[in-house]
Structures are given as structure tokens and as C-alpha cells.
Amino acid sequence: MATSDNKTADTDEKIFIGKGEETAWLALALANRHGLVTGATGTGKTVSLQVMAEGFARAGVPVFAADIKGDLSGISEVGEAKDFILKRAGEMGLKFQPDQFSTVFWDVFGEQGHPVRATVTEMGPLLLSRMLDLNDVQEGVLNVAFRVADENGLTLIDMKDLRSLLDAIAPNGSKKGPDAEEDPLAEIRKAAQGFGNVSKATVGTIQRQLLVLENQGGTKFFGEPALALKDFMKTDSDGRGMVNILVADKLMQSPRLYATFLLWMLSELFEELPEAGDLPKPKLVFFFDEAHLLFNDAPKALLDKIEQVVRLIRSKGVGVYFVTQNPIDVPDKVLAQLGNRVQHALRAFTPRDQKAVNAAAQTFRPNPKLDTARVIMELGKGEALVSFLEGGGTPTMVERVMIRPPTARIGPITPEERKAIMNNSPVKGKYDTAVDAESAYEMLQKRVAGTAAPADGADGGAGAGGGVLGQIGSIVGTIFGTNVKRGRLSTGQVIARDVTRSVTNKVVGGIVADLGKSVGGSLGSSVGRALVRGALGGLLRR
């Protein structure tokens, strides 16, 4: 553990976290090697998270944190010089200086923060299957649905798009024969069956699972305008990192939606950000509270993907910090990637609890001066065992320290204070109003009604907004097949297919990012996702 040299303030190279016999510093250059904050309920995890978030923000590093109980919202308001705070600051040689940090609130339900949305296409079949708790057969049918959507230019934005697509690929139970009416979706059903048996019963099961998700608020999550993750990666006018807080108290009532949403964000960052190597400080730091929900009942394939993304996203300049009650909540493969550790007290009332304490102690580099397992059970509120990376990336010996007091307010803010912050938010108005663009639902409705737009653009380019936007939509639609006659690939589609087959994920990802920025909205998003589904969503192959 690095000594303090009588300095107990954050610097451009490190963050002061706490003090015991030695001073605990978190090196910014090694902060993208990820971390773990653990401890029983009421032992001070949220305060430690706030101290770390404040340190990163001061250093100009944007922060994203899920706020389960609402306590973290106080970081947006000026701290109060209470007696216990002044006492702890004095014991550490600190002069308490109240502070506050520029904060943006986000909320999947759009009630206590700006709405957070993603399109169905962005989510991809793998994460969506986990969100719906599908079995292997049902997941296979969902993959077929996404493939059919890609090949027919059907943009999947919201829940009604996915429902209409599932209806379209389900076998048609109507009578056959010379007197039967022509099925306008016959080619789509035939294409789906070409990938394997798609039964009406399986499609029905998926539809019922969609209803469960809708009842949990999933309808609000899927839609546009979709979240642009670059809005998380901003600094304020003073050069401090913005603190992005996901209001998750209501979201936690739908734990599968919460966990899948966080995994989606991780996947999107992994896909969108360029390689950066080792930087003096991270580009962004994520704090995932109740981290065990990310891994509960997750299939091995998904766990492998999570481990891969956590391992590789470090080189994109992103640090990921999991917050949970016990290290054993995190799979060993992921735990091995978490170099910066803060362990608050654990209680051992049962043999199982004792086993958990011993497992937590074994995750630290031993200190001959400490019986780590015993100290974990003796820690008081605000105390922690810490071990951060230093030098060449090796962990320091575990030390017992008192966590420094936060400089912003400890505890939740009032509804009036939240409203004032949102009214002055840098993204005010960007996400607050939902947009229902033409997508798979409308396209399939037109096919059923026999009014699908002709491929030669006879509508004069009035679609997709008319004027210049209509012309852009027509051009891109011709390239990627959204306005080409059914059953035939355009020249552009053939080129796109061959590019997808031959170009590496990295290069295609760059193309997609640039294209999405240039075109924007559902058009840019759907075109991009048709080429690259995402690190956890699966790569399109045709």
C-alpha cells in the first residue's frame, strides 16, 4: 500500500479512498482493471461507492452508477458538515470541504429520470432470450425471427414489432386448396421454416413471455429515441466527469430486466468504443449494484460472453465495478478480472456464512499483520479491507482502513431537488418524448393489406419523412433491401452480405458506428444492427 507522504487529497494520478496504518490510494491508470465492493447490508458499501464516484468525477472521468435505494442521489447536492463527518475527516488529516457534482438522472420508466430506451434489434436474441427466460428451443425460434427480420428489411424497434414478426413466422393454420385465400406473409413463413421447424406452440410460448415482460415495464424500455451511450461520457464546464445515476428502485422489482439492461449497456460499450490501450485514466467507470443479479441462473454461454466482455473492455478504457454482498456472488472467471477490492463487514451466523467469509478472505493478497477472515467479521460501519492495484498491476497486501467521508450529501435528495436538476439537464428534451417510427409492425401491416411500398420508389420519396430525409431513406432502403420486392436481394444487399462475411467485427463495427451517426434515428440504428448485432447479441451471418 502506497504511503501518503502526509497527502490526503485526490491528485491527477490517484484517488484517496481511506486511511489506516497506510493510506489507500486508487491509481487512475489502473482503475480500468475493474473492481469489487462487497459487504453485508448496512456496512457502508454505498458510501464507499460514493467516495469512489466523487474521486473519478473530480479527475474528469464520467461515472455511471445504478442507484437501488436512492441514497446515491445525494452526490448531486452540497455536502453537510455534520459532526461525525468532521470528526472522521480530522482523524484522516482532511479539511472537510463540502462539494457537489454534476448529475444526470436516468430511469427506464421515465418517472424519476430521463427515459432509457433500446431497440429490440440492439438488444439481440441472446440477451432478449435471457430476459424472457426462454429455453433452448424457444431461443432458437427467436434467432430465426431475427434472421428473417434482417433478410426482409424489417426493423425491430419496440414490442409490437417483435410481436407482429412472431405472428408472421408462425405457421398459417388456415385451410389450403384452390379456394384458400392467398397468404400475403407466405414468403416470410417459408423463409422461417427454411431455418428449422418453427411451431405455432413455441411462438405462442414466446408471446406469453413477452406479455410477462410487458407487465414488468418492458414496453417502456423498448423504443426510440434509443440511448446513445456517448451521452454517458461527458464532462461538465469545469472539466469534471458527469455522474450518471440510473434510478433503479422500481426497476429492481423486475430483476431480470435490470440485469439484462446492464449487460446490454456493457455489450454496447464493448462494441462501440475503439481500442485505447492503457490510458492515464479511464474514459468511463461503471458501478453495477446488486451485481449477483447479472449472474443468477445465467446459462454458461452467457456467462462466457460476460467474462469475455469484462476481460476485453479494459482495453477500451472502461472500468467496471461490481457492488454486491459477497465475492462468491460473482463467478470465478469474472472475479479474477477484478483487481481493485473494497470489502466491508460480513456476518457469520451459520456454517454457510462462515464459508462465505473464508472465501472472501482468500480473494485478497495476504498481509502477515492481519487475520483477514477474522477482521472481516470485526469491521465497523465505514471500515473496510482494501487492496488496490499498484505498479505493474499487482495487488497490494490487504489493509484495514477507515473510508474517507464523502464531500457531497449523504442520502437521498427531495423530489423538488431532482426536478430542478432534470430541468437543467444537458440531455433535457432529447429522450423525454417517445417516437414511433415506421418499423416491422407497420411494414407487415402494409403487406397484409396489400399496400407495401413499390420497389421503384413510386411514392416520390415522401416516405421516411419526405424531402431530403425521404431521399436518404430511399437510397439506404434500396441498398439494404427495405424497399426491394420480396424474394430478391438487391445489388447492395449482396454487397452488404459479402462485406459482413469477409470483414472483421472490428472494421464492420467502425463502419456501423459511422453510418449510424450519419443517418441517425431508427434508420441508422437498424442498418447498423443488421450488420453487427453486438457483442452479446450475436453477429449476423447470411
Side-chain angles (χ1 to χ4, degrees):
M1 192 75 61
T3 57
S4 65
D5 298 326
N6 294 321
K7 289 180 65 180
T8 50
D10 298 337
T11 72
D12 293 335
E13 299 178 351
K14 53 191 178 181
I15 302 171
F16 171 51
I17 301 297
K19 190 174 182 181
E21 289 189 10
E22 303 284 350
T23 302
W25 298 98
L26 175 57
L28 287 168
L30 298 171
N32 66 331
R33 305 293 179 91
H34 312 316
L36 183 68
V37 181
T38 53
T41 301
T43 56
K45 293 194 302 295
T46 302
V47 170
S48 293
L49 193 161
Q50 182 169 336
V51 167
M52 296 171 76
E54 289 182 1
F56 283 119
R58 286 192 195 94
V61 179
V63 172
F64 171 90
D67 189 13
I68 303 298
K69 302 183 294 293
D71 293 347
L72 195 59
S73 60
I75 199 171
S76 63
E77 298 296 330
V78 177
E80 302 170 2
K82 296 183 177 180
D83 291 343
F84 75 94
I85 292 178
L86 294 175
K87 179 181 178 182
R88 185 178 298 185
E91 291 171 349
M92 295 182 177
L94 283 173
K95 180 180 179 181
F96 180 74
Q97 295 180 327
D99 205 349
Q100 67 184 127
F101 298 83
S102 300
T103 306
V104 179
F105 291 104
W106 304 89
D107 184 357
V108 167
F109 301 99
E111 297 172 355
Q112 300 182 68
H114 301 291
V116 180
R117 302 184 189 90
T119 66
V120 172
T121 300
E122 286 176 321
M123 182 62 65
L126 179 61
L127 288 181
L128 194 56
S129 295
R130 196 215 174 187
M131 188 184 293
L132 298 173
D133 197 21
L134 303 183
N135 62 29
D136 291 343
V137 174
Q138 294 154 2
E139 181 180 343
V141 170
L142 193 61
N143 274 279
V144 169
F146 273 76
R147 179 68 173 269
V148 170
D150 290 333
E151 295 195 347
N152 287 272
L154 300 172
T155 308
L156 299 176
I157 295 177
D158 52 27
M159 296 289 271
K160 70 179 187 297
D161 290 326
L162 185 55
R163 280 195 175 279
S164 61
L165 176 63
L166 288 169
D167 287 337
I169 68 170
N172 188 357
S174 60
K175 67 176 184 177
K176 299 180 181 180
D179 296 332
E181 295 182 2
E182 181 182 355
D183 181 6
L185 302 178
E187 292 188 19
I188 289 180
R189 301 188 206 279
K190 183 179 178 181
Q193 294 296 331
F195 294 110
N197 182 34
V198 176
S199 72
K200 200 162 188 176
T202 302
V203 171
T205 301
I206 298 174
Q207 293 276 33
R208 288 191 293 274
Q209 291 298 96
L210 283 175
L211 178 61
V212 174
L213 182 61
E214 288 171 352
N215 291 340
Q216 294 181 354
T219 304
K220 293 181 178 292
F221 175 59
F222 291 107
E224 286 194 318
L227 176 66
L229 292 180
K230 64 181 180 181
D231 285 331
F232 285 164
M233 305 177 68
K234 292 183 176 181
T235 56
D236 62 16
S237 57
D238 296 325
R240 289 182 166 194
M242 297 291 293
V243 178
N244 299 275
I245 294 181
L246 175 68
V247 181
D249 51 350
K250 185 176 179 181
L251 184 60
M252 279 301 298
Q253 298 173 21
S254 308
R256 193 172 292 273
L257 177 60
Y258 169 74
T260 309
F261 166 66
L262 295 184
L263 290 177
W264 166 75
M265 285 196 296
L266 209 59
S267 169
E268 290 293 289
L269 281 171
F270 176 74
E271 177 188 328
E272 292 183 9
L273 294 179
E275 291 289 328
D278 291 324
L279 300 173
K281 60 185 180 183
K283 293 180 179 179
L284 176 69
V285 169
F286 267 67
F287 290 95
F288 289 167
D289 203 356
E290 300 294 339
H292 65 280
L293 295 174
L294 301 176
F295 310 106
N296 282 356
D297 302 321
K300 183 179 183 302
L302 183 58
L303 288 176
D304 290 342
K305 287 290 186 181
I306 297 171
E307 185 268 332
Q308 181 188 38
V309 171
V310 171
R311 176 165 48 86
L312 297 178
I313 203 171
R314 175 190 66 81
S315 64
K316 306 292 183 92
V318 176
V320 179
Y321 288 73
F322 295 100
V323 183
T324 189
Q325 292 201 9
N326 199 294
I328 62 175
D329 294 336
V330 182
D332 289 343
K333 285 186 177 180
V334 177
L335 195 62
Q337 310 297 324
L338 312 180
N340 299 298
R341 306 285 182 88
V342 178
Q343 174 70 62
H344 288 276
L346 291 175
R347 309 306 178 201
F349 300 112
T350 67
R352 184 179 181 276
D353 293 339
Q354 185 63 56
K355 183 179 179 180
V357 169
N358 291 333
Q362 292 171 10
T363 64
F364 287 101
R365 178 181 167 187
N367 184 339
K369 299 179 181 179
L370 292 177
D371 181 344
T372 307
R374 179 179 58 81
V375 172
I376 287 177
M377 294 184 289
E378 296 176 350
L379 293 169
K381 186 174 182 179
E383 279 191 299
L385 290 172
V386 301
S387 175
F388 297 134
L389 298 177
E390 64 178 0
T394 58
T396 60
M397 288 190 297
V398 61
E399 293 282 354
R400 181 175 184 171
V401 304
M402 181 66 73
I403 301 298
R404 68 173 290 180
T407 55
R409 182 190 299 177
I410 300 175
I413 61 176
T414 65
E416 292 74 21
E417 290 170 331
R418 184 185 299 272
K419 184 177 180 181
I421 292 170
M422 291 184 62
N423 285 337
N424 292 298
S425 169
V427 295
K428 181 184 178 182
K430 182 173 182 179
Y431 299 104
D432 298 329
T433 303
V435 176
D436 189 9
E438 183 178 69
S439 49
Y441 173 78
E442 290 80 11
M443 294 174 185
L444 290 170
Q445 289 289 313
K446 285 183 179 180
R447 288 197 182 192
V448 171
T451 58
D456 58 4
D459 61 356
V468 175
L469 287 178
Q471 295 174 29
I472 293 175
S474 178
I475 294 169
V476 177
T478 301
I479 293 175
F480 290 94
T482 57
N483 58 4
V484 177
K485 292 181 180 179
R486 288 172 285 164
R488 178 173 64 87
L489 288 180
S490 69
T491 303
Q493 279 185 290
V494 174
I495 294 173
R497 178 192 61 191
D498 293 339
V499 168
T500 306
R501 285 175 173 170
S502 60
V503 183
T504 64
N505 291 1
K506 180 178 178 181
V507 174
V508 174
I511 295 172
V512 170
D514 292 341
L515 185 57
K517 292 175 184 176
S518 301
V519 180
S522 62
L523 189 59
S525 177
S526 63
V527 166
R529 302 303 168 185
L531 288 177
V532 178
R533 181 76 61 211
L536 294 179
L539 179 67
L540 166 67
R541 295 182 178 88
R542 288 181 53 179

